[in-house]
Every structure is written in structure tokens, then in C-alpha cells.
């Protein structure tokens, strides 16, 4: 939980530093205008509080981020240690009784399962049959063929 808090602090410090940076730039531009255009020598050494805050926030953000990484690694390390078989044996409560059936040890399988043979396809006509194709109805001779083209009609009119 502490690592998440450190990461959130790093993110918040970074986001706030964006705003203070913008304020620091505006202040620095005003000081530059006062120094160069208005020839005010005091503007050269005038403080810029927003710039100072931006530098502080950047430092806090870096420290919080590094702290978050360190705490996260500590969390990982403690969980890896607590999941080891030696740590699980130490968790047994003295004087407690184990309840339930005992678990048999795994047996080594030599050779594995056999691969089943393919089944032979039936050779008789007991399967479903394929329906025969239907015949097209005969076309009537008095019906228009519908296949005449403009070139056919143009040759007929020229004759």
C-alpha cells in the first residue's frame, strides 16, 4: 500500500509541477520584458517563486517515484519468500491436527496415453444419399430468345 501511495504522490507532484512551470515561465517573461525593454536592473535578480516550486516538485516527484519502486520491490520480495515451501512449513500451528483425506503422491507415467486408431469409413450404402440433380424445364420455341443485340437489329433493318 505504501508503494501505491508513493506512486500517487509522484504523479500528483508531477502534475502540479506542470502548472507551476507555466506560472514560472510567465513570471520569467515578465521579468525579461522589465529588464530588457524597461531597463530595470532589479528584474535581473528578482526572485521567481514559481520556478523554485517547480524545482522542488520535480525533486519530490523523483524521490516519491524511486521510493515507490523500492517499496514495490520489497513487497515482491516478501511475497516470494512467503510462498516458498520452507515458509509454508513454518506456518503450521503446533498441536493442530490435519483434517481430510491424505493426498497420494503423483506417479510417473512411462509412455503416456495411446493414440486411437482411425475408424474405417463404411463401404455399404447405409449413409445418407446425395439427392440427384433436377433437370431444367424445356424452353418453349414461341418465347422470345431475349438474346438479340443492337447489332442484330441493325443488320436486319439495313437488308
Amino acid at each position: 500500500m505504501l508503494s501505491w501511495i508513493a506512486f500517487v504522490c509522484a504523479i500528483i507532484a508531477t502534475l502540479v509541477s506542470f502548472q507551476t512551470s507555466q506560472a514560472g515561465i510567465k513570471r520569467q517573461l515578465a521579468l525579461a520584458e522589465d529588464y530588457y525593454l524597461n531597463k530595470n536592473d532589479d528584474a535581473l535578480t528578482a526572485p521567481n517563486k514559481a520556478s523554485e516550486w517547480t524545482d522542488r516538485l520535480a525533486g519530490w516527484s523523483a524521490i516519491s517515484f524511486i521510493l515507490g519502486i523500492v517499496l514495490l520491490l520489497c513487497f515482491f520480495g516478501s511475497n516470494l519468500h512467503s510462498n516458498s515451501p520452507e515458509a509454508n512449513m513454518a506456518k503450521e500451528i503446533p498441536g493442530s491436527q490435519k483434517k481430510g483425506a491424505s493426498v497420494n503422491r503423483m506417479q510417473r507415467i512411462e509412455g503416456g496415453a495411446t493414440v486411437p486408431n482411425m475408424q474405417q469409413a463404411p463401404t455399404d450404402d447405409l449413409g445418407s444419399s446425395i439427392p440427384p440433380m433436377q433437370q431444367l424445364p424445356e424452353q418453349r420455341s414461341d418465347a422470345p430468345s431475349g438474346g438479340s443485340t443492337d447489332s442484330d437489329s441493325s443488320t436486319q433493318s439495313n437488308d
Side-chain angles (χ1 to χ4, degrees):
M1 182 136 164
L2 291 176
S3 67
W4 283 104
I5 291 171
F7 283 132
V8 168
C9 288
I11 291 170
I12 290 172
T14 301
L15 293 175
V16 172
S17 75
F18 293 158
Q19 298 304 314
T20 59
S21 174
Q22 290 299 313
I25 289 171
K26 287 178 186 176
R27 170 77 173 141
Q28 198 64 30
L29 287 174
L31 290 173
E33 181 180 337
D34 196 28
Y35 176 74
Y36 290 112
L37 298 179
N38 299 336
K39 300 193 191 296
N40 182 0
D41 290 336
D42 292 333
L44 186 61
T45 57
N48 188 342
K49 297 288 184 188
S51 176
E52 294 171 12
W53 271 104
T54 302
D55 293 339
R56 285 187 197 128
L57 287 168
W60 292 343
S61 177
I63 290 170
S64 295
F65 185 75
I66 291 169
L67 181 64
I69 290 174
V70 168
L71 290 171
L72 189 63
L73 291 174
C74 290
F75 174 73
F76 287 156
S78 68
N79 280 330
L80 289 176
H81 175 69
S82 66
N83 288 333
S84 67
E86 296 84 20
N88 287 336
M89 293 173 74
K91 288 182 182 177
E92 291 183 20
I93 300 172
S96 66
Q97 294 180 0
K98 296 180 183 179
K99 295 183 179 180
S102 63
V103 177
N104 293 334
R105 292 190 175 261
M106 293 180 116
Q107 296 176 358
R108 172 174 232 116
I109 297 176
E110 301 288 335
T114 59
V115 177
N117 294 331
M118 289 185 9
Q119 293 182 354
Q120 185 176 2
T123 56
D124 55 357
D125 288 336
L126 296 177
S128 64
S129 61
I130 298 174
M133 292 180 60
Q134 296 179 352
Q135 290 185 345
L136 290 174
E138 292 184 26
Q139 290 188 356
R140 297 188 335 218
S141 62
D142 60 344
S145 65
S148 67
T149 61
D150 291 340
S151 62
D152 293 340
S153 61
S154 65
T155 56
Q156 290 175 356
S157 62
N158 290 342
D159 288 342

